Structures are given as structure tokens and as C-alpha cells.
Amino acid sequence: MWKGNSPGGNQGAGMEGAGGELGGHGNWGREDASGLLARASLPIMFTWPLPLASSALTLLLGALTSLFLWYCYRLGSQDMQVLGAGSSAVGVSSGPGGCSKAGRPSPGSSREPGEGHGTGLASSRLRAYAQRYSWAGMGRVRRAAQGGPSPGRGPGVLGIQRPGLLFLPDLPSAPFVPRDAQRHDVELLESSFPAILRDFGAVSWDFSGTTSLPPGWSPPLAPGCYQLLLYQAGQRQPSNCRRCPGTYRALRALRSFMSANTFGNAGFSVLLPGAQLEGCCGPTNARVRCHLGLKIPPGCELVVGGEPQCWAEGHCLLMDDSFLHTVTHNGSPEDGPRVVFIVDLWHPNVAGAERQALDYVFAPDP
């Protein structure tokens, strides 16, 4: 029989007795069954001193907090090491016009108009930015700074998009960008077409190549390709801006012009009949290059990512120059040069916080 009715100190003995009795061969009656049910309904009480439980919980919480802080420290240290390694690995050394001294396009260059000198990812600027601002909402910039793979480096990829310096992941990519993506700036540039065309007429010359370059014009990027820049690699060119006051006013009114970033350029691009710019890719997919057609003779073509397009006078054409692109002028000498005004705008899907960080990291050298 299961004897004893104390729910306290004798509960352990009762359970042992019940186990032995139920597993044995003894007989038990109806009064014993009611007692068994009463005992089975009682909760099992463990006597654990409260101070001991409290101290154990405190130690557990302290250990978890220390582990979390250590993990954050290691994660930040690894990120800074990767960023520092990336800054030394992707530095660009290029001559005027964005081409290396060997005559081949540098990794961070797009040759229409020239990029100037690339700066690479400066680890000191990244550390300074991290100390001054938060990384909240900047996951893509962080991954880009860590040197994530660009779309042209993966297996099985044709490589028509190969940004040489900075690939911002998860950006919608297409060779040509809809006009509505930058509606304000497109409409402003098109409304400024007469003033911009008039400024070009004031600085234009015969482009024969038999005379020395006029002031403000850069050496030819390729045979038959000339440019006059108002902004070069994020730096304003004061003398050229004074020569083109209407164009400069239009630039100042743009909302998404990359005017404070080494990826930002603005200026006139001239391509003579028979000239061609071979295939190249821009330094980043974080920008959209806007072409405003000024003088477009027959036989001119722009091919971006395998898709051909043609300019129209007084209208803007938006392209992602991180895609492989070529420019040709197959017209006759009587047709005259092709002239477009080019402005680098932010990609519409780059958020404000990301633009601020990239402006800080890729600020023009003083």
C-alpha cells in the first residue's frame, strides 16, 4: 500500500513507494486510489533558495552581455581590416582623361568625359565617417566598401556591367534609365538647351587639330574626341564656369548632380566624324550619366550593354555607364561634329544617407 499523506517532506518517498507498489504484485483498495489521485494532482515543488537563483540569473545575463559586446568588437575590427585592405587594392593611378599611362582604360575610368584621378576607398575616411556618423541604413555602402563582387565577376556572367571602382549592390540595373527617374533634372536641362547651346558656341573652335588647344579644352581622349569640363572629378573649373554662365546656372539648379563627389563630371563632349570611343565601363553604378544632345548629325550611335541608341537635339538620354559602352560617329566630314553636354547624376535608388557617406568617402582632393 502507498502510505503517508504529507505533501511536503515525504513526497519523494511517496513517489518511490508508488513506483515500487505499482510495479509489484500487491493488492490495493478503493480508498488507496482516492489518495493516489489527490497526491498526483499536487504540483512538484523544488526547493531552490531565492538568493542563489537571483545570483545565477545575474551571472547568466552578464555573460551574455559580455559575449554580445565581444562579438560587436570583433565584427567591427574585421570590417575595418577589410576596408583598409580594399583601399590599398583598388586605388587608381591614371593620367588625364581617365586612361592609364599604358594607353588602356584604368579600372576606375569612363572616358567620356574624363574622370580625372581616381581616389580609391580611403580607409582613413571610412573610419572617420564611422566615428562621426552611424551606419544605420548604410548596409549597401558597407558591403560595397568591403569589396563585394561586381556583377561582371561572377561565374557565367558576360561582364557587360563592370564598375571598376565601386559596385553598390541591390541597385536596379539597366543600360538605359527612364527619363522619369530624374524628371526634375531632365526637364531643367532640356529647358536650358538654348542657353547651353549658346555657351558652347562661345567656346567652340574648328577642332581641326592643326592649332593649339584653346583655353579650357582638355587634350583629346582619343583621335577626334575633345571635351571642355565645368566640373572634373567633383572639382569646379572656375575659368570654364565663367565662360559658360548659362550652363553653370543650370548645373547649380540640379537636384541630383554629383557636384561634391569624385565620380561627378559635367562638360561638353565633341566627337568628330570618323572618330570612335572603344568599349569601356565607368567606375561605379551609383551614378547615372545624362547626355543632352546639342548637335547630332546623322551616323552617330551610342551602344550601352549591347543596346544601341541615338541622341536627339534638345533631349536628354540617361545611361548607366558602368555597362560596357561604345560611341561612334560614322557620318561624313560635311556633317560636322557630334556635340553633347554630359552631367553625372546620382542613381535614383541611392538613398540620401548613402549619398552623404559616398560624398564623404569620395570627396575631391583639396
Side-chain angles (χ1 to χ4, degrees):
M1 296 295 179
W2 183 2
K3 298 180 180 180
N5 297 321
S6 174
N10 295 331
Q11 185 172 356
M15 293 295 292
E16 291 179 5
E21 194 71 16
L22 290 174
H25 300 280
N27 297 321
W28 52 286
R30 183 178 302 174
E31 67 280 3
D32 295 319
S34 60
L36 177 61
L37 292 175
R39 286 182 173 274
S41 63
L42 291 176
I44 300 176
M45 302 295 293
F46 295 97
T47 57
W48 193 1
L50 184 59
L52 180 60
S54 175
S55 61
L57 182 61
T58 302
L59 290 175
L60 179 61
L61 292 177
L64 292 176
T65 302
S66 301
L67 182 62
F68 175 74
L69 294 176
W70 174 83
Y71 172 76
C72 293
Y73 170 77
R74 288 297 303 271
L75 183 63
S77 300
Q78 291 175 0
D79 288 345
M80 289 299 103
Q81 291 174 1
V82 172
L83 295 178
S87 66
S88 60
V90 300
V92 177
S93 176
S94 59
C99 293
S100 64
K101 295 182 179 179
R104 302 167 66 182
S106 63
S109 68
S110 178
R111 298 187 298 169
E112 188 182 352
E115 301 301 330
H117 297 276
T119 59
L121 294 177
S123 59
S124 59
R125 291 181 179 178
L126 287 170
R127 292 192 183 98
Y129 188 90
Q131 293 173 359
R132 185 176 299 183
Y133 303 102
S134 170
W135 285 108
M138 303 240 308
R140 292 192 299 190
V141 175
R142 198 169 189 175
R143 280 183 285 162
Q146 291 174 351
S150 69
R153 297 173 186 167
V157 180
L158 296 178
I160 60 174
Q161 186 185 22
R162 298 196 304 267
L165 192 58
L166 177 75
F167 173 68
L168 201 60
D170 302 328
L171 278 183
S173 296
F176 292 97
V177 180
R179 291 163 46 91
D180 290 343
Q182 295 290 1
R183 177 186 294 272
H184 173 272
D185 290 352
V186 164
E187 292 179 351
L188 191 149
L189 287 170
E190 291 179 349
S191 65
S192 303
F193 168 73
I196 297 175
L197 182 62
R198 185 168 53 251
D199 286 344
F200 173 75
V203 298
S204 180
W205 54 297
D206 60 2
F207 303 106
S208 61
T210 58
T211 59
S212 59
L213 287 174
W217 286 89
S218 304
L221 303 176
C225 180
Y226 299 90
Q227 61 183 12
L228 184 142
L229 298 177
L230 279 69
Y231 279 80
Q232 182 175 13
Q235 293 184 327
R236 185 172 65 93
Q237 308 300 306
S239 58
N240 289 343
C241 290
R242 286 193 295 268
R243 294 188 184 99
C244 306
T247 306
Y248 180 62
R249 282 194 297 269
L251 288 175
R252 293 292 301 271
L254 297 177
R255 292 179 179 175
S256 56
F257 175 38
M258 302 179 76
S259 59
N261 195 297
T262 190
F263 296 136
N265 305 276
F268 299 100
S269 173
V270 177
L271 195 66
L272 300 183
Q276 177 179 358
L277 287 177
E278 298 179 357
C280 58
C281 296
T284 179
N285 66 329
R287 75 181 184 188
V288 171
R289 180 153 279 190
C290 178
H291 290 204
L292 173 64
L294 299 181
K295 295 183 177 182
I296 311 299
C300 298
E301 188 177 54
L302 169 66
V303 180
V304 183
E307 299 183 15
Q309 286 283 356
C310 188
W311 302 270
E313 295 181 358
H315 295 277
C316 289
L317 184 65
L318 302 180
M319 59 169 286
D320 183 346
D321 73 324
S322 65
F323 285 85
L324 185 67
H325 58 279
T326 59
V327 183
T328 56
H329 185 348
N330 295 321
S332 63
E334 293 78 14
D335 294 330
R338 182 234 57 178
V339 182
V340 295
F341 182 71
I342 299 179
V343 188
D344 288 328
L345 308 175
W346 282 104
H347 191 290
N349 291 90
V350 178
E354 295 173 325
R355 297 181 185 185
Q356 179 182 348
L358 293 175
D359 277 343
Y360 189 96
V361 173
F362 295 99
D365 292 332

